[in-house]
Amino acid sequence: MASFDCADDDWKWRALRYAQHCCVKAVEYGMLALGPCLIVTVLVLVAVEIYWFLALILPRSCEIFSPRWWAHAAWILFLAFNGLFNYASCVLTDPGAHGSRLYRELVAA
């Protein structure tokens, strides 16, 4: 009768755990590298949309630098600023912090 010895397969388990650890670290560092790339992508897309609207679309609907043009331009810049402000707020907010003074004050109220 053959005996079962865990020590024979121990190196396989250690190799598997090491491979899992390497995969987890690769995904973690990949996400850390991907974050700034996505932030820059959003900023570039919004800047290009603003340029396209102000340079290509808006001049077709009204005369450049007329009061109507300024009203449309101000509205687009207002929307773009608010969108980017909210995006920046979402990016910079820590999703799991419950130890801040503001959080404790809001919970206590």
Side-chain angles (χ1 to χ4, degrees):
M1 183 168 187
S3 65
F4 179 72
D5 189 9
C6 291
D8 292 338
D9 292 333
D10 189 42
W11 69 272
K12 293 178 185 176
W13 290 110
R14 280 188 279 134
L16 180 63
R17 292 288 290 173
Y18 182 72
Q20 288 175 337
H21 175 74
C22 290
C23 289
V24 167
K25 288 298 179 185
V27 168
E28 285 178 3
Y29 289 126
M31 289 296 119
L32 287 175
L34 185 61
C37 295
L38 293 176
I39 292 170
V40 169
T41 301
V42 167
L43 295 175
V44 168
L45 286 174
V46 170
V48 168
E49 288 175 350
I50 292 171
Y51 170 76
W52 281 346
F53 182 79
L54 293 177
L56 303 174
I57 296 172
L58 191 55
R60 293 181 184 203
S61 66
C62 57
E63 186 178 332
I64 295 179
F65 301 122
S66 67
R68 184 175 174 197
W69 186 92
W70 283 109
H72 283 293
W75 178 246
I76 291 302
L77 293 176
F78 172 76
L79 290 176
F81 173 78
N82 281 317
L84 289 174
F85 176 80
N86 288 321
Y87 180 72
S89 297
C90 290
V91 167
L92 298 175
T93 300
D94 185 10
H98 297 287
S100 69
R101 181 184 59 80
L102 178 62
Y103 177 80
R104 282 186 256 131
E105 289 177 5
L106 290 172
V107 171

